[in-house]
Amino acid sequence: MTTFSATMRSALLGVLALALVLAPGGWAAEHGHSAFLVGSSTDFTAIAKEIGKDRVQVYSPLPGYQEPELYIEEVFPSWIIQASRADGYVRIGLFADVWADSLVIDARNPLIYPGAPGHVDASQGIQVLEVPTGPVDRSRGEIHLQGNPHYLLDPLNAKVVADSILRALIAISPEEADFFTANAEDFKRRIDEAMVRWQEMAAPLQGKKLAAYHRTWSYLLKRFGLDIVGYVEPKPGIAPSPLEIRNLVNAMVRLDVRLIIHAPVYHPRTPRAVARQVLDRIGEPVTVLKLPAHVGGVPEADNYFTLFDYILTTLNEVLN
Amino acid sequence: MWEMLSYPFFQSALIAGTLSAAMCALVGVYVLLKRIVFVGITLAQLASLGVAVALLIDVHPMIMALVTTLSGVACFAMTRVGQRVPQEGVIGASYVMAAALGIICVAKNPVGEARNLKVLFGNILSVHTGEMVALAVLLAVLAIVHVVFYKEFLFVSFDPETAQAQGINVRGWDLLLYLTIGLAIAFSIHSMGVLLVFALLLVPAMTARLVAHRMMALFTLAIGFGVIAVPLGLYLAVRIDLPTGTAVAGTCVVMLLAVLTVRGLYRSAGRLAAGAAVLMLAFSLAMPGSVAAQDTDVERRLQELQQEIDDLRQSLASQQLRLPGALLLNPEMRVEGNFQGSYLAGGLARRAEQEGFSNNRFNLREVELGFRASVDPFAVLEAVISAQHLAEIEFEDGEEELEGPPGEVEFEEAHLTFARLPFSLRGKLGLMRTSFGEYNDDDPDEFPQIDPPNIITQLYGDEGEGWKEPGVNLNYQFASPFSERMTHVLWFGLYSGENGTAFHGGQLTEPVWFTRFELFYEVAPRAGLELGLSYAKGKRLDSYFDDNGNGNGDADGNGNGLGRMSVVAQDDDDDDNGDDDEEGCVGCLVGEFDSTLMNLHFEFDWRPPLYSLEHSFGFLAELFYSSVERHDGTLNQFGAYALTQYAVNANFAIGARFDVVNCPGFYNSLCANLGVEEGETLGIDELEDRSEWAFSPILTFNPSPFLTLRAQYKHTHRSYAENSQEFLLQALFIIGYERPDVF
């Protein structure tokens, strides 16, 4: 009995002492930055860096070639540690990064709890595409209940996201408001300028038809006027059935489609099989093309601007 | 005007408005005759409260409006006039209550105030087809009721005393009349709003009253005025850009003034009528001017309105979808099912109660119903109820006897999680999995196997569910000083000690406590390893109970240190449920022997960094050490299992498990019971010789992330009983929320 109480007391004291010694706090300030932002994807950290420059430190748990929506269960401990030190958290929203809920809670950091100024749901203010209608259940696969979350593949949406991040940064570090605001304005201006260039690059792509692995590209294709004829994986998250593959092949043959695009995270095996079947039917080679879906998806796409430069250049090379 | 009719929103507004107007005007005559104008507006306000509540809890506004309005009707029809509190008082108080609650509901509605205010004031332009059909049906019903009971309604309205004297059930007829009024209001309120409903209830009837001399004329004119006001008001609203509801209500009043004026002029009445006439003339003179001025803009205005409505519909649709399943304040839900089939190819059969299922049958092992929601900003509640349908096999005199199949419902888990404790601690409170070792830290269904590891069954019994207890625990996670990729977690927990095998007879004076230290190391973006050490210590009763509730060790208390058992043995009920007896004991006895458990676990999980959907590999090994104090000494034993799985592609995975157990020797461990005569217990030496090992290849097929089909072959080798060979099949499925788990 006495041993029990004694052990318990010392164990509790030990926990408390450790807690005091190791409690996180003021991490960003200690490291010479006015703000430390964690984002669910590299796109957010790229945009945050455009606004905050060297006064903001950023961290994204996932490399750009990964897809945040594919992480359902895993929240790695190192992410939690980073989030516990963060001044702000930028999430994709639209149920794409469900894991961010538990990450934010597990981080035990009031600065990034939902409702705090440092918690940014970047989907706010975005005109969301493909919001499901009718009965929504898992018979349609892992569909996005609130619509397609790949909204940053339309460059104009980056302006909306930049404003959301700007608001959070100003709330975190009001004394830097002018600096952040000027950078955000500059970023939006550069997007507008680049948009002219991108539209010119996309002009020869107008109306071109292609197939894709997953519904990653809706915003991109809508903005630049390309036409999608089908998906290798029509029900998200569910491996395609032979019938679905046959339907896609038939559609590609009928419409003479010679390109299948996929995000880096998806293995090209099935798209290649589809390409071979189409080749057998029309006698023309079909290209399977890996395109980055986020900043850092391929080494060339190292910031938000080069992401679109790369995508449009590559599409032009293949389609024309 | 005619081009407006081509717009669908205008058509629906016109139809719904006309139907509501006819309905309200019809019952409005009685509102006027019975001088219950105040009742009218109060019912309208109650109906709008219903709409506000409906929006808050996400049911159809018409249904909730019906509920609140009819409650109001019942209340008003029941209260008598002439009591100390006059009926007007009750009605007035109801009005205040309805208005105040309505505003509170709107203010507390997370969807947003603007939309709700719009709906509260009615939005005749966004009427749905379903509502139109409902309105038409109700109008038909009300018309029939009023035609059939015309005489009765009039009699009790005009002269209730005489009616009463003639033996007519005045209250009954009154109630029916109020009911029709309530129905008309409740059905109209969603599209028309409080103001318009009240206007249509009162004003057309008043207008008709001015000119009609016979009852039939009064009804006809009232309905006529109401019905005319709607297209007129809508037309004006579109032409000169007025809010539609207000425009219709205004038209009613203008018609009233016009009739007053004509009547006043006709009768050379006084100033009031003259003044009204001047007002009306001014209004009607001003209007054609403005109408003419804007005539060319009508088309544009209509298109704008159509656009506005499309936008409104779209924003409503997207707002509703943006709520998780439009649940509002309801908890998230999840149903998880575990269906199994088991075939015994040879050897020793299973005991359903300890191992979770029995051989040679299909078992609905478990259906779990989980609820999860934030209680407040500080705590999250998760409650999981599980139901089982098991067949049980009893062993008596070496014979197998099939019983059941009993169904059982129990709380699997019900705990609060506190994420905002001081010092970045995280806490749990309630009935939970204890987090001692890896198996007790996760949902058992998360592990890629069908039956639980042997050591888990031997240590904790309880159908292989592992160790769950009511209690509290705290954990603290911190970055490692050695590497950015390394993190640590420290745990401490305090539990009652109700497990029944390793720990039982616990109380807060003698609780079970546990502590755990974990180390994570991230090898790659999607690969990590985990090493953990857990320690638990608590008390245990000095004997155990068989399925009849009798102490199997020394039921008669014949002197070998088990004297306390006699207290339990007297509770010799006839049920087959050992649980009840154990629970009885948890309250009445405190365990006096120590149980000490230690656990060392190692886990490695890997997915390719790039094509992470294609393959995965997992390995988990847990080593248990138990030190069990007994009347005849202390028994120290080891047990372990290693579980591994490799996903060859997105759908298929192969796996295997190896078990090795030295019997831990708790009184109701399976291995301490098999082959033991009733009334006898095994000594330490005999228990030390009891050991078993098992090997299981496992094949898993996942058609989707929400459905798993699994097959397992298990060979168990026992030193103390027959070996067994089993084939197991399993279907696991989940609907509802997924639980993102910490690695």
Side-chain angles (χ1 to χ4, degrees):
Chain A
M1 183 82 112
T2 50
T3 46
F4 163 71
S5 318
T7 324
M8 194 175 83
R9 211 176 305 126
S10 44
L12 261 178
L13 277 175
V15 169
L16 288 181
L18 260 173
L20 281 173
V21 172
L22 299 169
W27 191 85
E30 275 170 33
H31 286 67
H33 303 285
S34 30
F36 175 41
L37 277 193
V38 177
S40 283
S41 87
T42 47
D43 305 327
F44 297 136
T45 50
I47 295 172
K49 206 67 189 161
E50 299 275 1
I51 300 171
K53 308 284 184 199
D54 56 342
R55 301 193 197 168
V56 167
Q57 163 120 3
V58 296
Y59 169 81
S60 170
L62 305 178
Y65 53 78
Q66 275 290 349
E67 269 306 328
E69 61 180 1
L70 295 180
Y71 282 71
I72 293 175
E73 294 187 347
E74 303 108 303
V75 175
F76 280 67
S78 68
W79 309 0
I80 297 174
I81 297 298
Q82 297 288 357
S84 73
R85 296 164 172 168
D87 300 302
Y89 191 92
V90 190
R91 62 177 306 172
I92 303 170
L94 305 177
F95 282 134
D97 48 352
V98 183
W99 46 267
D101 288 329
S102 46
L103 176 56
V104 163
I105 295 294
D106 281 335
R108 297 151 227 199
N109 176 357
L111 295 177
I112 60 166
Y113 282 141
H119 183 98
V120 181
D121 181 342
S123 71
Q124 291 297 317
I126 300 286
Q127 190 92 42
V128 179
L129 298 180
E130 295 168 1
V131 178
T133 50
V136 175
D137 62 26
R138 293 287 183 213
S139 65
R140 296 163 73 175
E142 281 188 81
I143 61 164
H144 291 291
L145 302 177
Q146 298 184 332
N148 192 318
H150 303 279
Y151 49 82
L152 275 178
L153 283 172
D154 177 349
L156 293 188
N157 283 341
K159 291 162 63 178
V160 180
V161 172
D163 280 335
S164 302
I165 295 177
L166 174 65
R167 274 195 294 277
L169 281 175
I170 291 176
I172 292 164
S173 177
E175 63 275 16
E176 312 265 14
D178 293 340
F179 177 73
F180 294 146
T181 312
N183 289 342
E185 288 307 319
D186 182 54
F187 173 71
K188 289 193 278 185
R189 186 185 52 75
R190 283 186 292 135
I191 287 280
D192 286 336
E193 282 170 12
M195 202 58 209
V196 177
R197 180 173 85 239
W198 290 330
Q199 291 288 10
E200 278 166 12
M201 290 168 82
L205 300 172
Q206 289 285 330
K208 288 274 199 284
K209 291 180 168 49
L210 54 107
Y213 190 92
H214 177 84
R215 286 182 190 271
T216 314
W217 314 101
S218 307
Y219 292 90
L220 179 85
L221 302 182
K222 186 171 182 233
R223 175 59 60 203
F224 295 111
L226 284 89
D227 198 2
I228 195 114
V229 303
Y231 296 94
V232 177
E233 183 201 64
K235 287 182 181 151
I238 312 287
S241 70
L243 179 69
E244 284 164 346
I245 295 287
R246 203 163 68 225
N247 288 342
L248 176 64
V249 170
N250 287 342
M252 289 179 71
V253 169
R254 197 170 61 245
L255 300 166
D256 193 25
V257 177
R258 317 269 183 80
L259 175 62
I260 306 174
I261 57 175
H262 68 93
V265 72
Y266 297 105
H267 200 288
R269 188 189 314 109
T270 323
R272 279 182 195 146
V274 172
R276 275 196 301 278
Q277 289 188 33
V278 178
L279 167 69
D280 290 346
R281 297 263 297 274
I282 63 174
E284 303 257 4
V286 174
T287 313
V288 174
L289 177 64
K290 178 173 84 177
L291 284 181
H294 301 281
V295 174
V298 294
E300 294 89 337
D302 56 354
N303 68 44
Y304 194 70
F305 295 94
T306 50
L307 173 68
F308 289 95
D309 288 337
Y310 180 86
I311 292 176
L312 292 171
T313 310
T314 321
L315 279 176
N316 260 317
E317 281 167 11
V318 175
L319 285 172
N320 295 309
Chain B
M1 159 137 197
W2 303 116
E3 73 274 7
M4 292 181 202
L5 288 173
S6 60
Y7 291 88
F9 77 89
F10 193 82
Q11 294 166 1
S12 7
L14 196 59
I15 296 170
T18 312
L19 292 170
S20 297
M23 216 151 63
C24 292
L26 171 68
V27 297
V29 171
Y30 288 100
V31 171
L32 196 67
L33 288 181
K34 288 173 72 72
R35 296 164 192 270
I36 49 168
V37 173
F38 206 22
V39 172
I41 190 154
T42 306
L43 286 180
Q45 194 66 49
L46 277 169
S48 85
L49 168 66
V51 173
V53 172
L55 290 170
L56 191 65
I57 62 175
D58 201 27
V59 295
H60 195 282
M62 247 183 206
I63 298 170
M64 217 51 219
L66 210 56
V67 171
T68 50
T69 315
L70 296 187
S71 321
V73 165
C75 175
F76 300 153
M78 296 302 157
T79 46
R80 287 163 200 273
V81 183
Q83 289 173 334
R84 184 174 288 195
V85 176
Q87 196 183 17
E88 273 75 14
V90 176
I91 294 165
S94 308
Y95 177 84
V96 172
M97 179 206 70
L101 281 180
I103 290 167
I104 288 171
C105 286
V106 169
K108 285 290 166 196
N109 192 320
V111 177
E113 204 161 318
R115 172 198 161 199
N116 288 319
L117 283 175
K118 217 162 197 168
V119 179
L120 272 185
F121 289 126
N123 197 344
I124 192 171
L125 293 179
S126 61
V127 181
H128 295 286
T129 319
E131 288 175 69
M132 277 193 275
V133 173
L135 283 171
V137 171
L138 183 72
L139 177 62
V141 172
L142 288 189
I144 293 169
V145 170
H146 275 270
V147 167
V148 173
F149 301 122
Y150 175 67
K151 274 186 193 161
E152 285 84 352
F153 282 160
L154 274 190
F155 199 13
V156 298
S157 297
F158 271 122
D159 197 352
E161 285 82 11
T162 316
Q164 186 88 47
Q166 291 197 1
I168 291 174
N169 183 355
V170 175
R171 290 194 97 184
W173 288 112
D174 251 352
L175 184 63
L176 183 62
L177 184 56
Y178 274 114
L179 200 67
T180 60
I181 297 173
L183 281 172
I185 291 173
F187 274 67
S188 312
I189 199 81
H190 185 212
S191 48
M192 316 288 274
V194 182
L195 178 68
L196 186 50
V197 165
F198 186 53
L200 287 173
L201 210 55
L202 190 64
V203 185
M206 265 172 81
T207 316
R209 187 90 166 88
L210 289 176
V211 285
H213 298 288
R214 291 207 318 269
M215 282 315 293
M216 278 317 287
L218 176 56
F219 279 108
T220 318
L221 280 175
I223 294 172
F225 282 127
V227 166
I228 291 170
V230 173
L232 222 52
L234 283 177
Y235 175 73
L236 289 178
V238 173
R239 278 255 153 154
I240 52 178
D241 193 15
L242 295 174
T244 42
T246 325
V248 177
T251 310
C252 291
V253 178
V254 170
M255 284 200 303
L256 172 67
L257 289 177
V259 170
L260 260 179
T261 314
V262 172
R263 195 165 162 271
L265 288 175
Y266 184 69
R267 291 191 180 179
S268 316
R271 282 182 198 168
L272 183 72
V278 170
L279 264 178
M280 189 214 68
L281 277 173
F283 191 61
S284 50
L285 283 175
M287 200 166 299
S290 57
V291 168
Q294 302 196 359
D295 201 26
T296 48
D297 294 336
V298 169
E299 187 70 17
R300 183 185 54 80
R301 176 66 198 139
L302 277 171
Q303 277 166 358
E304 278 173 17
L305 256 181
Q306 179 70 59
Q307 183 61 44
E308 207 173 292
I309 285 160
D310 289 346
D311 288 350
L312 182 70
R313 286 218 171 117
Q314 199 167 4
S315 79
L316 280 183
S318 66
Q319 271 182 21
Q320 277 160 1
L321 276 158
R322 278 187 157 228
L323 297 161
L327 281 168
L328 293 178
L329 294 174
N330 297 334
E332 290 178 85
M333 281 184 280
R334 154 178 86 89
V335 179
E336 211 175 327
N338 183 350
F339 182 76
Q340 297 182 343
S342 155
Y343 172 72
L344 181 68
L348 185 72
R350 281 180 180 257
R351 289 185 141 189
E353 195 163 293
Q354 270 146 323
E355 298 188 81
F357 57 94
S358 46
N359 290 119
N360 294 329
R361 47 186 53 248
F362 287 115
N363 300 282
L364 182 56
R365 167 126 185 221
E366 191 172 57
V367 175
E368 275 184 15
L369 191 58
F371 301 93
R372 184 177 65 181
S374 287
V375 177
D376 59 13
F378 314 106
V380 175
L381 175 77
E382 178 159 19
V384 181
I385 299 163
S386 83
Q388 297 172 316
H389 183 84
L390 298 174
E392 192 175 323
I393 297 176
E394 288 267 306
F395 291 80
E396 272 179 25
D397 306 313
E399 283 183 22
E400 294 176 16
E401 184 185 316
L402 190 64
E403 282 198 5
E408 196 181 304
V409 177
E410 61 169 0
F411 263 111
E412 190 76 19
E413 285 176 63
H415 55 75
L416 288 171
T417 305
F418 299 94
R420 301 189 182 189
L421 296 178
F423 308 116
S424 297
L425 289 170
R426 190 173 189 208
K428 255 191 198 179
L429 180 77
L431 176 63
M432 63 185 117
R433 300 188 64 76
T434 51
S435 302
F436 175 87
E438 195 58 16
Y439 190 83
N440 295 322
D441 196 19
D442 257 338
D443 184 349
D445 293 338
E446 298 283 311
F447 297 90
Q449 61 195 3
I450 298 181
D451 80 333
N454 290 20
I455 182 67
I456 296 294
T457 320
Q458 303 290 6
L459 286 178
Y460 307 115
D462 207 14
E463 295 151 10
E465 285 290 310
W467 184 18
K468 55 185 194 204
E469 289 259 5
V472 290
N473 82 33
L474 285 174
N475 69 67
Y476 176 67
Q477 183 166 21
F478 55 98
S480 169
F482 308 113
S483 163
E484 274 288 297
R485 291 174 158 197
M486 197 186 286
T487 48
H488 305 292
V489 187
L490 262 178
W491 303 68
F492 181 77
L494 212 55
Y495 303 109
S496 300
E498 296 177 5
N499 169 257
T501 305
F503 303 102
H504 56 159
Q507 286 189 352
L508 280 183
T509 52
E510 300 270 5
V512 181
W513 63 276
F514 107 103
T515 179
R516 170 175 171 178
F517 174 75
E518 263 178 311
L519 177 157
F520 304 93
Y521 185 72
E522 286 167 42
V523 183
R526 299 200 75 161
L529 52 86
E530 181 185 317
L531 192 65
L533 188 64
S534 312
Y535 178 89
K537 192 175 171 86
K539 292 291 179 187
R540 196 180 75 254
L541 278 180
D542 39 12
S543 187
Y544 72 100
F545 317 98
D546 69 13
D547 282 347
N548 294 319
N550 295 316
N552 198 7
D554 191 11
D556 301 315
N558 58 6
N560 61 356
L562 304 177
R564 280 183 175 184
M565 278 317 304
S566 56
V567 179
V568 183
Q570 285 164 9
D571 179 27
D572 193 3
D573 55 4
D574 288 335
D575 69 23
D576 295 327
N577 184 350
D579 295 348
D580 289 344
D581 306 295
E582 283 174 23
E583 278 158 21
C585 268
V586 168
C588 66
L589 287 176
V590 180
E592 61 177 28
F593 287 136
D594 281 336
S595 289
T596 308
L597 292 183
M598 284 173 75
N599 167 289
L600 179 69
H601 81 265
F602 171 78
E603 188 178 351
F604 176 69
D605 278 294
W606 171 87
R607 278 178 178 277
L610 183 52
Y611 301 130
S612 44
L613 298 179
E614 296 297 313
H615 307 287
S616 70
F617 173 75
F619 176 83
L620 168 67
E622 285 199 86
L623 174 70
F624 288 86
Y625 167 77
S626 58
S627 178
V628 180
E629 197 187 351
R630 293 161 53 93
H631 61 272
D632 53 351
T634 301
L635 177 66
N636 301 316
Q637 296 283 56
F638 283 98
Y641 73 94
L643 175 68
T644 182
Q645 170 170 280
Y646 175 69
V648 292
N649 61 33
N651 298 123
F652 280 99
I654 48 174
R657 196 180 78 208
F658 184 70
D659 286 283
V660 55
V661 178
N662 291 319
C663 186
F666 295 114
Y667 284 107
N668 45 355
S669 291
L670 200 58
C671 56
N673 284 314
L674 283 173
V676 179
E677 293 290 315
E678 200 173 335
E680 282 185 11
T681 47
L682 296 174
I684 283 186
D685 296 343
E686 290 164 295
L687 283 168
E688 272 177 346
D689 289 339
R690 290 202 156 198
S691 64
E692 66 192 37
W693 60 263
F695 177 71
S696 318
I698 304 163
L699 180 66
T700 302
F701 171 58
N702 293 302
S704 77
F706 312 102
L707 177 63
T708 301
L709 304 172
R710 193 169 277 148
Q712 177 177 354
Y713 167 78
K714 187 178 181 189
H715 171 87
T716 311
H717 177 92
R718 299 182 181 86
S719 71
Y720 56 94
E722 265 186 293
N723 299 344
S724 55
Q725 294 85 39
E726 297 164 285
F727 291 99
L728 311 171
L729 292 168
Q730 180 187 43
L732 268 176
F733 44 90
I734 179 165
I735 54 175
Y737 69 85
E738 302 145 45
R739 289 200 283 190
D741 265 327
V742 175
F743 175 75

